[in-house]
Amino acid sequence: MFDFYIEFDPSLWWNNKQLIKTAKQHFTQFPATEKRLWFAGSNAKDISRTVGKLAALLKEENPQNLQWRYSDKPNEKHNTIFRATEENAIIWSLNTK
């Protein structure tokens, strides 16, 4: 639906990590139009593990038409990740050159 996606500490642990478990399936159904995904993970244990897994899956699968960037921020907390990374997220996402 959108061309740019930004996620701060995404809830990939939700529903017993279903999005992580089915990620490869989703990659095969990826849209033909180019998309950009920027995401960051803090030191929140339940979040950082699954966000790191998503980065590893993206690196391994390298979905076509997806440019992505993972910002691992282990010194940030769930309540500080947004303010610490919002500017970088917007700049990277909108800089298509």
Side-chain angles (χ1 to χ4, degrees), residues 3 30-37 62-68:
D3 293 329
F30 207 78
T33 57
E34 188 168 307
K35 306 293 180 188
R36 294 175 66 85
L37 168 65
N62 194 24
Q64 290 185 2
N65 302 325
L66 177 65
Q67 292 183 18
W68 62 276

Side-chain angles (χ1 to χ4, degrees), residues 29-85:
Q29 302 167 5
F30 207 78
T33 57
E34 188 168 307
K35 306 293 180 188
R36 294 175 66 85
L37 168 65
W38 184 98
F39 60 108
S42 71
N43 67 1
K45 289 182 184 180
D46 56 342
I47 295 171
S48 65
R49 289 183 203 135
T50 53
V51 174
K53 286 181 183 179
L54 175 61
L57 282 167
L58 286 166
K59 187 175 183 177
E60 177 185 323
E61 295 296 314
N62 194 24
Q64 290 185 2
N65 302 325
L66 177 65
Q67 292 183 18
W68 62 276
R69 168 97 26 111
Y70 171 45
S71 183
D72 184 19
K73 297 295 184 185
N75 294 329
E76 296 300 332
K77 298 176 184 172
H78 186 65
N79 64 336
T80 65
I81 190 77
F82 177 78
R83 287 187 184 199
T85 60

